[in-house]
Amino acid sequence: MDDTAADNSVTVLHTVKQVRAWTAKQRALGKTIGLVPTMGALHAGHLRLIRVAAEKSGAIVVSIFVNPAQFAPHEDLDKYPRTLADDISKLEQFQLRQQPQPSSSMPSVAVFVPTVSE
C-alpha cells in the first residue's frame, strides 16, 4: 500500500518492496537518497537530522520502527509512544517549509513504517 498524496507531500511506505520501488524512482530522477532512522515520536533533534538530509540529498526516507528487540524484558514496549499521525504531520510541515525553493529542487520525502514481520 503506497499512501501517496499530492506532489510535495509525504509518501507512506509499509513494505521493503515499496521502499525499493520508491527509491528506484528517485534515483531514476537523478536524486540521492538520505535515510533518517527513528523510532517515531519525532522531535526537534529528528527534524534537524531531516533538514541536514534534505541539504545533502534529493530524496529522504524517514523510517519509523519501534523494534521490540531493543527493549529488555523489564522495559515496557507497550508504553513507548506511537505517534504516527503526528509524525506524518511534522513531515508534511517540513515539506511546506521547503516550498519557497523551486519545485525541482525540493526534496521528496517518504516515511517507511514497517511491521516486525517486514
Side-chain angles (χ1 to χ4, degrees), residues 36-109:
V36 180
T38 78
M39 288 177 50
L42 300 182
H43 53 70
H46 293 118
L47 297 175
R48 175 68 184 130
L49 291 172
I50 294 165
R51 276 191 293 281
V52 170
E55 291 168 4
K56 299 182 180 292
S57 307
I60 306 160
V61 175
V62 177
S63 66
I64 296 178
F65 179 59
V66 179
N67 184 352
Q70 290 180 257
F71 289 81
H74 65 280
E75 296 175 328
D76 199 346
L77 169 65
D78 294 332
K79 289 188 179 178
Y80 191 85
R82 288 166 176 86
T83 58
L84 182 59
D86 186 49
D87 293 343
I88 290 171
S89 177
K90 288 176 182 178
L91 293 170
E92 288 171 343
Q93 291 300 311
F94 169 83
Q95 281 292 87
L96 289 174
R97 286 191 298 273
Q98 302 303 306
Q99 298 250 341
Q101 300 178 15
S103 181
S104 62
S105 67
M106 190 179 318
S108 301
V109 177

Side-chain angles (χ1 to χ4, degrees), residues 10 12 15 19 21-23 25 27 39-40 57 93 100 104 111:
V10 175
V12 180
T15 67
V19 172
W22 188 87
T23 56
K25 179 180 175 183
R27 286 187 186 103
M39 288 177 50
S57 307
Q93 291 300 311
S104 62
V111 61

